[in-house]
Amino acid sequence: MADSERLLTMTTDGTPEITGIYVLLGQDNLDPDEEDLRTNFEKQLEKGGAVTMKTSLGEESGTRVVLVKVPMSRLGPAAEELKLYMPTTYSSDEVEEDESPSIWERIMDIFETDEEVDYISAPFRWDKKELFAGIEDPNTFFRSALRSYLTHHILIRTDVSKKKDNADGINIRGLNYLKLKGVYSDVFILHDRPSTLHRRQAFKEKDDDTKVVDPRQELWDAWRQWYKFQPLWKVRNYFGEKIAFYFAWVGLYSESLILPTIFGLIVFIYGLSTEKVDINLAGDATQQVYKFFIIFNNKLTPWFGLAVCIWGTWFVEQWKRKSNSLKYEWDVSNFEQLEPDRPQFYGSKTRKNPITDEEEWFYPFYKLYLKISCSATLLFFMVGLVVASTIGVIVFRLAVSFNPLLTSILSSVINATAIMILGFIYEKIAYKLTDWENHRTQTDYDDALIIKLFAFQFVNNFTSLFYIAFFKQYYSKNEIFPGVNKTETCDYSYNKTVSIVQANGETIEGPETFQSCFPMLMMQVAILMIMKPIPKFCKDVILPTLRFYVIRLYKSCKDNGSPDAATLEGQGEKKKELIDIIEEDRQLIPGDNDFTLTEYTEKTIMYGLIMLFGTVFPLAPLIAIICNLVDIRVDAYRILWKNRRYIAQRAEDIGIWQYILEFLNMIGVVVTSLILAHTLDISNDSVLEGIDDRWLVAFAFEHVCFAIKFLIAYMIPDVPSDVQFKMRKEQFQVNRLFERGPVKKDDTSTNETTRI
């Protein structure tokens, strides 16, 4: 059988499918040392049972292509080495045969897009593979994401080093090392697709019974239905648990935003109907705009702030329940305990593993602690630069004396430029620092990187809002710098009737002018909420579209893409098909190292805007839910059709992002209390009118809010009761399975399975 045929996977219905194929690109002519590394690497792959095919993209391209596919005989032992949990012949969704679904379950089935069966899982063992469901078909036993994950694991751990090379503590010199040395210039995994030959044959025969299933199209058809639940199981089966957890989180986040969105609209409508806004088009434009925004400051505004603070805790608790359910159903409950070391990890000393009693490299904790301390110091320095840049913009605005409008525009441009430059520099530094810290596992590495990036982004996005909310109003009455006879202004003032004590001791009622920063703060929050998704939309939609048309125009002018028929003459039609597919996927946009990192960061910043400053802009949840619903489908489309396939990664939850959400919930209560006490204006119709001690109100609000939040967190269990029951039952059935052997298909001891 030719290598090109062995690279195809036969599905259960006999359809040839392209799945799990790795593409390694490199130059034909390498230095002798590099050529030795490549030859050694590829020989080890073939010796381990991997199917490889070597070809080129054309006579003039000078690019050498190696296609790699790992068979079941090698994937199975790798799965056992990683202690992957695989479905056994037991199902965890057993019900009584006469049990019928409830009316609510029937309604929910209308919106379901997954029909997966959740089986009892156990650590995979190659010597007892007959105990696991679907093992009779080795081509489909491992789902697509797992095949990608295991293949990548094998490639990065196929060691080309010699014993003398291990003096630096690096035990593994695999694919990542070869990429660093320039042996391979590009590496990617092909998207799954049915063989085009099969599609053409079915078309020629015009067989109506022939159904060609495209895995990506099938996933997209389920995903694109915005009114239904996301096909999370299908996403997990194709992209892995890490990406699936992100879409599960953003889906629940969007669903939970419905309640604050409704409340926010009520506040907005109430303000329109009760607040009298006298707009004079002939007056100052800024004042007229701020007069309109004052409708958000009404009797319901403080109650909306309380509702948002409580909603944040309710959402996080609901996510914990959903996360623990998915963690159990997706068999990743013990992933972090069993997670393998990163290939980039290196040790400085050797010791005996306390569990396996084998010699291993390790990195002393005190060295890691010192490096983390150095990184934290640099982080605080960069955060200080952000604060300094904000102060510098304020000083510039006060120092110049030309046109106020031009001054405001120029200062905004300077501030935005400083933010972008500092953000670009810090992102590069954060990656370098995290690499330098030498974390043992990928989860530890990701958590350390996330803390650095989010801390900077938090300060970068919220510094100006904190200044407007809590400092600008003070500096509208006082000099910012001693001796500088200039003050900041909130650009909006209003008159309020107050009691004035005269010199003779009499008290009279009279008007007094107050500066208010509430409209300016609300407008800044609104601008951030609206403008924040625009750069990502340009990056994910506009730029890829332009790139597509530029590439197509280039190809029409000069076709240097896939080789023509003369170049491939005699290589076989299937080989030509594979090379065409390589070129097709090669032209796709290379994905980021971690797709979820930028997505979580963007969504969490939006979440922070709602939690911290949603009180001043009740329409923030509405904007967030619209952005999320659009972004989910845009991201789904681009990772399926516009981006190269992401290498599947496993995870047992959303990681440190959950702690960041809880952090935002806690400081959200404090910030909301301060806004009620310091920033929120008290008009004559306000719910707080007549209360002199605003700080007492803030103190009471904070304590009541924290009490309610802690009560909600205490009353809602993190793990659903049915999941707790299934976990106990699974342990019993796994033990019985390994004692009694596999369950036969006609075994009447198990009941009919139900859909999830």
Side-chain angles (χ1 to χ4, degrees), residues 627-643:
C627 291
N628 287 351
L629 292 177
V630 173
D631 201 47
I632 287 174
R633 269 65 196 184
V634 170
D635 286 340
Y637 182 79
R638 72 182 179 93
I639 65 176
L640 277 172
W641 304 105
K642 296 299 181 182
N643 285 21

Side-chain angles (χ1 to χ4, degrees), residues 477 493-501 508-515:
K477 304 175 183 178
S493 60
Y494 65 96
N495 295 324
K496 182 183 176 184
T497 302
V498 297
S499 298
I500 303 175
V501 180
I508 62 172
E509 299 290 329
E512 184 175 347
T513 302
F514 290 87
Q515 286 281 331

Side-chain angles (χ1 to χ4, degrees), residues 226-238:
W226 61 269
Y227 60 92
K228 289 189 175 184
F229 298 128
Q230 296 184 85
L232 296 178
W233 280 75
K234 292 182 175 65
V235 175
R236 172 244 188 176
N237 292 342
Y238 192 83

Side-chain angles (χ1 to χ4, degrees), residues 155-174:
L155 290 178
I156 63 177
R157 283 168 172 78
T158 299
D159 197 3
V160 296
S161 64
K162 301 175 183 179
K163 291 185 178 180
K164 63 180 181 179
D165 295 330
N166 293 335
D168 55 3
I170 301 177
N171 294 327
I172 302 173
R173 298 173 185 268

Side-chain angles (χ1 to χ4, degrees), residues 204-359:
K204 290 178 181 178
E205 297 175 358
K206 296 182 180 180
D207 186 358
D208 295 335
D209 296 331
T210 302
K211 182 180 179 180
V212 180
V213 178
D214 187 335
R216 280 193 296 171
Q217 187 63 51
E218 188 178 37
L219 175 55
W220 173 241
D221 289 341
W223 216 343
R224 69 196 301 178
Q225 302 179 65
W226 61 269
Y227 60 92
K228 289 189 175 184
F229 298 128
Q230 296 184 85
L232 296 178
W233 280 75
K234 292 182 175 65
V235 175
R236 172 244 188 176
N237 292 342
Y238 192 83
F239 289 108
E241 287 79 8
K242 191 170 187 178
I243 289 180
F245 265 115
Y246 161 73
F247 282 105
W249 174 80
V250 75
L252 182 65
Y253 172 37
S254 302
E255 294 172 21
S256 68
L257 279 170
I258 294 176
L259 291 178
T261 297
I262 295 174
F263 197 173
L265 287 173
I266 293 174
V267 174
F268 176 67
I269 295 172
Y270 179 81
L272 283 177
S273 61
T274 58
E275 295 292 331
K276 296 180 180 180
V277 182
D278 183 18
I279 298 179
N280 181 10
L281 297 179
D284 180 67
T286 304
Q287 285 281 326
Q288 304 311 312
V289 172
Y290 285 169
K291 280 184 179 180
F292 175 77
F293 286 152
I294 207 69
I295 64 175
F296 291 102
N297 180 15
N298 55 62
K299 288 184 177 182
L300 296 182
T301 303
W303 298 108
F304 179 76
L306 177 64
V308 167
C309 292
I310 297 174
W311 165 80
T313 298
W314 177 81
F315 161 64
V316 170
E317 293 303 315
Q318 290 299 315
W319 168 248
K320 288 179 182 178
R321 291 172 60 83
K322 186 176 183 65
S323 175
N324 284 314
S325 297
L326 293 176
K327 181 193 302 186
Y328 164 74
E329 293 171 359
W330 291 348
D331 307 320
V332 289
S333 298
N334 300 321
F335 169 72
E336 292 184 7
Q337 299 177 16
L338 306 173
E339 187 176 6
D341 295 347
R342 296 171 60 239
Q344 297 89 343
F345 171 77
Y346 61 89
S348 60
K349 295 182 179 180
T350 58
R351 68 177 180 185
K352 283 190 176 182
N353 188 297
I355 298 177
T356 63
D357 203 33
E358 295 178 355
E359 198 79 11

Side-chain angles (χ1 to χ4, degrees), residues 376-395:
T377 302
L378 186 56
L379 169 62
F380 287 126
F381 174 74
M382 293 298 296
V383 167
L385 288 182
V386 174
V387 177
S389 67
T390 303
I391 296 175
V393 171
I394 297 171
V395 174

Side-chain angles (χ1 to χ4, degrees), residues 45-58:
L45 289 177
E46 294 171 353
K47 185 178 179 181
V51 178
T52 62
M53 186 184 83
K54 303 176 183 64
T55 183
S56 62
L57 294 179

